[in-house]
Amino acid sequence: MAAPKTYTVVEADFYDQQEGLTIGATVEAVPGSTANQLLVTQIIGHAFPLDEPMAVYASQLQAA
C-alpha cells in the first residue's frame, strides 16, 4: 500500500459527516481502486480511529 498523504476535506455529504469526515477536517488518505477514488485511513485529531478506510472521491479532498 502506498504511503498516506495529507489532505483537507473540501466536500462532505451527510453520510460522510456522520462518520466524522467534515469540511475543513485534515485527513490521511491513500489511492483507492480507481483513479478518482481515495481511501481515508485517518481523520487527524478525531477522538476515535476509523474501523476501516473510507472511500471518497478525489474531488472531495484537496492536498494539504
Side-chain angles (χ1 to χ4, degrees):
M1 184 181 282
K5 293 184 180 178
T6 304
Y7 296 91
T8 301
V9 179
V10 294
E11 181 182 328
D13 66 17
F14 174 79
Y15 297 105
D16 293 335
Q17 292 180 33
Q18 292 296 310
E19 295 291 326
L21 194 69
T22 56
I23 294 172
T26 303
V27 300
E28 287 187 351
V30 295
S33 59
T34 64
N36 65 346
Q37 183 185 58
L38 292 169
L39 297 175
V40 174
T41 57
Q42 179 179 359
I43 302 171
I44 297 172
H46 206 266
F48 56 90
L50 295 175
D51 293 333
E52 59 186 41
M54 292 176 57
V56 298
Y57 291 108
S59 62
Q60 291 180 258
L61 305 179
Q62 180 180 8

